[in-house]
Each structure stands twice: as structure tokens, then as C-alpha cells.
Amino acid sequence: MKREPMVFAVAGMVFGFVLGYMASGLADRPSSDTRPRPTDAGPRPAAGAGAPTSGAAGAGAPASDRPTGPADPDEVRTLENLAARDKQNLQARIELGNLLMDHAQYEEAARWYREALALKPADNDVRVDLGACLLNMGRAGDAIAEFDHALKNDPAHKKAMFNKGLALMQTGRTQEALALWEGLLKRYPDDPQLQGLRQQVERLRSGRAASGGPS
């Protein structure tokens, strides 16, 4: 099953707009129906999250398309039955994580991402998806550990770099977040998805310089 869009988890930000929804659906990702969404990220489904202001918040598609309420219990039950019948069914576990993440059921989604990782520990995308759940649950420290694990295996993992920056911001480590994002922008200088991030990093740098803080 092909993962269609690039996914960036977005927890509460100091920015005055939804950073995660920049660049034409950057935060968008497919739910379990795997319908195509805007930006392609690679060969597997994964989860991400988005929030407009402060604190951990909702997941999945942009606000106009984001599901409301809990996930369809019949769809959840079907996937759970698949997972129960086949303890090695990685895809069912990922799909459950995606579905629950889309409906902001982060704790339940994290459970299924952990089960997926138990079957395939080297899957960096699923690990970052788990980090996205933790970040939206307000567990930024635990999220950073997951992002670091993914980045140890793949230092160029774009989503892990972006999301770790969000987690650092959530813990007040603004300088580290800016340095990480600047490294991300340097590594992917022509990526149109990151232009909104570039503008926000510049604004934050300017604001800190104006306030007399470290630039």
C-alpha cells in the first residue's frame, strides 16, 4: 500500500499561524482509505498531526477536511480483527495507527504504532509517527527520543528533523529548534514544502535579535 503525502506532525507552536499546514498541505496525510493527498513522501503509510495554536491538538488533513469525532467503530473493529487474526500483520497495525491518528485518538494510535514497531523496529517512518502521537499528547521529551532514534538510522529523514524541531519548541529549546530547522533547510534548499518554514525561521531569528536574545 503506497503512502501518498509527506507528513509532518504539528503540535502547539509559537507561530501565529498553522506552520504544519504551510506549503499546500504539507501536514496532510492519508487515512486508512489511502486516497491520494497532496504531497508524496514515499512507499508506506504513516501518520502525522496538526494543530493551529498552543498545546497538542488535532491530526491529519487540513482543517476543512479533518475528520471530527472518534474513528468509525466498524472500521476500527475490522482492522482490529485483522490484527488479532494475524499477529504478524504489520499493515493492519499501521492502518489502525493512521485511522486513530486522523481522529486525534493519539494514545490509541500510539499503541498500534508500537505494535508495528515490534514487528519492524527499523521502520523509521512508523517511529516518527509514534513520535507524532507523543508530541500531540504533550510528551515532547518522549517524542524527541523517537525522532532521535529515527535520525540515528537516517540523518536525512525530513519528517523526523521537522518534527524534532517542533518538539524542541514545545520544551522551550527554541535555539536548538532553529538550528535544526536551518540544517533541514540547508539540506533541502529547493524543497517547496519548506518555504513556509524558512519564512518562519527568519521571523523568529529577527524577533529574537530585536528583543536582544541570541540570534
Side-chain angles (χ1 to χ4, degrees):
M1 190 172 296
K2 186 177 185 295
R3 177 188 178 192
E4 294 295 338
M6 171 62 68
V7 182
F8 290 110
V10 182
M13 295 298 298
V14 297
F15 302 152
F17 76 116
V18 186
L19 179 61
Y21 299 146
M22 67 191 181
S24 185
L26 184 63
D28 197 7
R29 67 173 183 84
S31 59
S32 58
D33 63 9
T34 68
R35 288 174 292 181
R37 303 287 182 90
T39 53
D40 196 9
R44 57 162 298 282
T53 52
S54 60
S64 59
D65 300 325
R66 195 182 309 155
T68 58
D72 183 340
D74 291 333
E75 191 171 359
V76 172
R77 192 176 304 112
T78 297
L79 289 167
E80 286 179 338
N81 288 339
L82 285 172
R85 286 198 302 268
D86 182 0
K87 300 299 184 181
Q88 301 302 310
N89 192 325
L90 174 66
Q91 192 61 47
R93 286 161 172 79
I94 294 173
E95 288 296 317
L96 272 164
N98 289 353
L99 175 63
L100 293 163
M101 185 67 144
D102 278 337
H103 290 266
Q105 295 172 249
Y106 305 120
E107 188 169 354
E108 296 93 334
R111 169 201 166 190
W112 290 106
Y113 288 136
R114 288 192 180 96
E115 289 206 11
L117 285 169
L119 295 175
K120 191 178 180 183
D123 193 318
N124 292 323
D125 290 333
V126 172
R127 190 165 297 281
V128 175
D129 296 340
L130 172 59
C133 288
L134 296 171
L135 186 57
N136 279 280
M137 292 162 63
R139 295 170 57 185
D142 293 331
I144 288 171
E146 299 298 340
F147 301 144
D148 280 343
H149 192 139
L151 287 168
K152 181 178 179 180
N153 295 330
D154 179 7
H157 198 293
K158 190 190 301 184
K159 184 175 63 169
M161 295 176 74
F162 185 91
N163 287 341
K164 183 180 176 182
L166 293 175
L168 290 169
M169 292 290 291
Q170 194 175 95
T171 58
R173 296 157 65 183
T174 305
Q175 192 68 16
E176 292 177 61
L178 291 175
L180 180 64
W181 282 334
E182 286 168 342
L184 174 61
L185 293 166
K186 184 176 180 179
R187 186 180 290 272
Y188 300 102
D190 300 320
D191 191 327
Q193 291 182 325
L194 296 175
Q195 294 313 302
L197 176 62
R198 185 182 304 280
Q199 294 167 10
Q200 291 307 306
V201 167
E202 290 172 355
R203 289 179 187 177
L204 278 174
R205 285 292 190 198
S206 299
R208 290 172 70 83
S211 65
S215 60

